[in-house]
Amino acid sequence: LRCDETLCTRPPHSNPHRPHLHGSRGLIPCYSWHSQVMYVWSGGGGGTHFVSAYPLYTRTRDTFTCLDRSQTIPHSRINDDYCDCADGSDEPGTAACANGRFYCINKGFRGRYIPSSRVNDGVCDCCDGTDENNGATVCSDTCKELGAESAKEAVKKAEIAREGARIRQEWVEQARKLTQEHLAELERLRAEEKGLKEALNDAAAEKERWEEVERSEQEAITAQWEAEHAEIKEAETVSAPVEVDEMKEAEEDGDLDETTNQEEGSESPPKHTNEDAEKARKIHNDAKQSHSDLTNKIKALEAKAYMDYGGDQEFLPLQGQCFELKVNKYTYELCPFDKVTQSEGGGKTTLGKWKDWKEGAAYSAQVYDSGEKCWQGPDRSTMVEIVCGATSEVQKVDEPSRCEYTMVFATPAACSQLHADILQLNLESEGDTHDVELEEGMAMEYEER
């Protein structure tokens, strides 16, 4: 049978990420020859089972065709410590091929591939010890112990995913209500802003009207003062005449009394304030401040209401909360959709401000940049990886590069019912641990390719 993606089906108990070709005699994994899969499906009265790849290498004929079909070689060249096939499929049990891979069956745990170069290298890479088969190194079979520990971990992960998915659904409902409340509040505030804008315009017009009255009154007062001041100066000139030539001579000699000029220069009309104009200015300033405050409130609420909180707005309940993790002498704090900080003693350093979701990460990573500048370095920034968790908590913080931080944040918002169902199906199908673990290993290999 040839693998045809259009004919692939998935049995209920199988890994949903791996397609299968439904044949009359069983299910065959839909893998390309290049995947070098060493196992096939076989249907029968006892259900679906894995059959070891060894029959592929059992001598039923005198020749062997490389799995990439690049060439056909004598069967005697299999595992002869010389690489004949370009894909390394003729040397799974030796280190002859640089690209060769050896499959650890690891019965009781999970199967895995290792480079063929690690076969018989004196180091036990497979938990069943099958990679050290020349007798030079004795390996203990630890697969059952590892499998038992892995099973406990799988149960724990399934419980976390299930609880996280339940909480996530509650958050989705909560986010829907919050969004409706935000939009209703925005509508109310915009209507209020319209009224304040009209009141501000009226106050501005009233202020201008009274200030015009104030200016007219000021002009009248100034004109009266200037007339009176001119009469006083004229009277002073008559009572104490000074010859022009004498004035010039006094100026040249520096004997002219400067205080007279200073007093005259300092004199100015009295400043007039209209009481009604002053009240109008205060009313206008108050209206202007109220309108400005409301406008800022609307902008903040718009940013909150229209921000991308996930496909179902599931991350919205995290907005406004902060989560801490203490690492040695530092305390790291993540405030989702706001900022990341690092505290030591009384000082606090901003490691990044909310920018956006990481492109292509499907709500699994957030970018915080434009933090405080490092000394002789770049601005600090933080990449936050988001994983499924039954509670929201910062689990890990690293600084892989100078002033560039990474953070792992667990939260129910990152969980999904689909993921919880898959983990539960895997638990329910662990009657044959070897088969389940091997299937996962093969599925992982398929996804990698």
Side-chain angles (χ1 to χ4, degrees):
L1 294 173
R2 295 188 62 184
C3 175
D4 185 341
E5 292 286 348
T6 62
L7 299 178
C8 287
T9 60
R10 180 175 66 84
H13 60 275
S14 68
N15 190 314
H17 298 295
R18 198 179 86 215
H20 293 80
L21 173 64
H22 188 275
S24 59
R25 299 179 61 185
L27 293 169
I28 298 178
C30 289
Y31 294 99
S32 67
W33 284 106
H34 294 286
S35 67
Q36 299 184 22
V37 174
M38 301 302 178
Y39 291 82
V40 295
W41 289 91
S42 174
T48 302
H49 302 283
F50 283 103
V51 179
S52 170
Y54 292 127
L56 294 175
Y57 291 90
T58 300
R59 185 165 185 169
T60 57
R61 61 184 68 181
D62 293 334
T63 59
F64 170 79
T65 300
C66 302
L67 295 185
D68 63 359
R69 296 187 176 184
S70 59
Q71 64 172 313
T72 298
I73 61 175
H75 198 280
S76 59
R77 293 188 185 178
I78 294 177
N79 289 330
D80 65 346
D81 208 23
Y82 183 83
C83 191
D84 297 287
C85 299
D87 63 357
S89 58
D90 63 311
E91 299 296 319
T94 74
C97 298
N99 62 336
R101 293 183 303 164
F102 178 84
Y103 189 80
C104 306
I105 298 176
N106 292 344
K107 186 173 182 179
F109 188 42
R110 65 171 61 93
R112 60 177 292 218
Y113 283 102
I114 63 171
S116 293
S117 59
R118 295 184 184 178
V119 174
N120 292 323
D121 63 349
V123 178
C124 301
D125 297 288
C126 304
C127 66
D128 60 5
T130 54
D131 58 309
E132 301 299 317
N133 50 47
N134 61 1
T137 302
V138 178
C139 298
S140 300
D141 188 339
T142 60
C143 292
K144 287 185 179 180
E145 290 81 357
L146 292 173
E149 188 63 32
S150 177
K152 290 180 183 177
E153 186 65 24
V155 170
K156 182 179 178 181
K157 285 183 179 179
E159 290 175 349
I160 290 175
R162 188 163 53 249
E163 178 64 10
R166 183 189 67 77
I167 297 175
R168 179 188 185 277
Q169 188 57 39
E170 292 179 355
W171 285 11
V172 169
E173 296 299 322
Q174 182 181 344
R176 185 177 293 112
K177 293 179 182 178
L178 284 172
T179 300
Q180 292 174 351
E181 291 174 3
H182 289 162
L183 295 177
E185 179 68 4
L186 271 176
E187 187 176 354
R188 186 189 69 78
L189 291 178
R190 285 167 179 163
E192 184 180 343
E193 186 273 338
K194 185 177 180 181
L196 283 182
K197 183 68 175 176
E198 292 176 356
L200 177 60
N201 291 336
D202 291 343
E206 188 72 1
K207 178 176 81 78
E208 180 60 29
R209 185 174 74 84
W210 281 108
E211 285 182 342
E212 180 62 31
V213 172
E214 188 179 55
R215 282 193 293 271
S216 297
E217 293 175 345
Q218 180 68 58
E219 288 173 0
I221 291 172
T222 299
Q224 182 180 355
W225 178 87
E226 287 176 347
E228 293 175 353
H229 195 65
E231 291 177 1
I232 294 172
K233 288 184 72 173
E234 184 177 353
E236 289 176 349
T237 302
V238 172
S239 61
V242 179
E243 295 294 335
V244 175
D245 293 337
E246 293 178 358
M247 289 279 292
K248 289 182 179 180
E249 185 178 344
E251 285 181 0
E252 291 173 358
D253 295 340
D255 296 332
L256 186 64
D257 188 359
E258 295 181 1
T259 59
T260 302
N261 290 334
Q262 290 174 357
E263 289 175 358
E264 292 177 355
S266 64
E267 293 180 355
S268 60
K271 184 172 178 59
H272 170 70
T273 300
N274 181 287
E275 228 177 275
D276 291 320
E278 190 66 22
K279 290 178 181 177
R281 278 191 287 268
K282 184 178 185 310
I283 292 173
H284 176 263
N285 289 337
D286 291 344
K288 186 176 181 181
Q289 185 62 52
S290 297
H291 182 265
S292 177
D293 292 343
L294 185 59
T295 300
N296 292 335
K297 188 175 181 180
I298 289 174
K299 288 180 179 178
L301 189 55
E302 284 177 338
K304 182 184 293 187
Y306 299 133
M307 186 175 288
D308 185 359
Y309 291 107
D312 296 320
Q313 298 291 86
E314 63 273 19
F315 290 90
L316 175 56
L318 293 172
Q319 213 277 342
Q321 298 189 59
C322 295
F323 306 89
E324 293 184 350
L325 176 67
K326 188 168 181 61
V327 181
N328 299 324
K329 62 180 181 178
Y330 298 110
T331 297
Y332 295 90
E333 184 178 62
L334 167 66
C335 300
F337 307 101
D338 185 10
K339 61 185 177 181
V340 179
T341 60
Q342 177 195 68
S343 301
E344 180 188 5
K348 181 175 286 190
T349 303
T350 301
L351 303 185
K353 301 173 185 176
W354 163 255
K355 181 182 181 183
D356 206 344
W357 294 95
K358 182 181 178 182
E359 187 176 353
Y363 302 114
S364 62
Q366 295 181 337
V367 179
Y368 294 78
D369 64 3
S370 302
E372 293 185 34
K373 189 175 183 63
C374 281
W375 186 73
Q376 294 186 341
D379 292 344
R380 291 175 172 85
S381 62
T382 305
M383 181 71 67
V384 180
E385 178 188 356
I386 300 179
V387 299
C388 173
T391 59
S392 295
E393 59 180 358
V394 178
Q395 295 183 335
K396 185 179 180 183
V397 179
D398 282 319
E399 187 180 2
S401 300
R402 182 169 178 257
C403 303
E404 294 182 0
Y405 300 82
T406 60
M407 181 177 284
V408 177
F409 178 62
T411 175
C415 301
S416 71
Q417 190 59 50
L418 176 60
H419 181 237
D421 290 343
I422 291 172
L423 292 178
Q424 186 60 37
L425 284 172
N426 285 343
L427 287 177
E428 293 173 357
S429 62
E430 282 190 353
D432 187 337
T433 306
H434 170 52
D435 286 359
V436 172
E437 298 294 350
L438 183 56
E439 179 183 357
E440 290 180 353
M442 294 174 68
M444 185 180 299
E445 172 64 20
Y446 175 76
E447 289 172 356
E448 287 175 355
R449 289 189 168 270

